[in-house]
Amino acid sequence: MASKRETVLAAVKSLVAAALPGAEVKRNLAKAERIPPGGLVVIRDGDPGEPEVSLSPLTYLYSHRIPLEIAAYERATLSREQVVDAMLGAIGAAVMANRTLGGLCDWIEAEAPVTDDIEALGALPGRFADLAILAVYATTDPLN
């Protein structure tokens, strides 16, 4: 059986994939060699941080910061800024619609993104955004 941490990470990946059906959504991709036409989202495992501990019953409450990296090119009718903004909006709407990840978490929320251009020699300039989803959840074992 998967740990609570792995279950939450898989649920965040599913949430993002459902919000962006045209994009490739990967987990812990070492280095993107290309940005697919529908965009790319890389979900990193992040840091669950130090838990708050309750002793009766023994419970560990984590505020797990899960980084997301989004990259996209412009489209025929949208600038690269508009494409990334639309992707961010879709993720934000999905988070707002499912604040508990189907009961896995006490709460999730998205942090504000940092955006910048991607430039590579001989390629069209792209746009990227770094943000994180904060997932608050409890477990009875920090390893499970």
Side-chain angles (χ1 to χ4, degrees):
M1 181 167 179
S3 67
K4 181 75 173 243
R5 179 186 65 259
E6 283 295 319
T7 305
V8 168
L9 289 165
V12 168
K13 182 180 178 190
S14 295
L15 179 91
V16 172
L20 302 172
E24 284 188 28
V25 179
K26 304 284 186 181
R27 185 163 162 213
N28 295 321
L29 184 65
K31 182 179 177 186
E33 295 189 14
R34 66 175 184 82
I35 300 172
L40 174 68
V41 180
V42 179
I43 299 170
R44 305 276 178 210
D45 286 356
D47 182 7
E50 287 294 317
E52 291 183 32
V53 180
S54 173
L55 297 176
S56 183
L58 181 61
T59 305
Y60 299 88
L61 181 65
Y62 288 97
S63 294
H64 189 157
R65 189 174 183 279
I66 304 168
L68 277 70
E69 302 162 5
I70 298 172
Y73 288 122
E74 66 183 28
R75 297 196 182 137
T77 59
L78 298 172
S79 70
R80 61 186 188 261
E81 293 84 4
Q82 291 171 320
V83 172
V84 169
D85 190 58
M87 292 172 77
L88 292 168
I91 292 170
V95 166
M96 287 176 50
N98 189 1
R99 289 282 190 190
T100 65
L101 285 178
L104 283 174
C105 296
D106 295 330
W107 183 258
I108 65 168
E109 66 184 27
E111 295 179 354
V114 175
T115 60
D116 204 355
D117 291 329
I118 302 170
E119 294 187 24
L121 190 62
L124 291 172
R127 190 85 173 154
F128 78 88
D130 285 329
L131 69 145
I133 291 179
L134 185 66
V136 179
Y137 57 89
T139 181
T140 57
D141 182 349
L143 298 178
N144 197 1

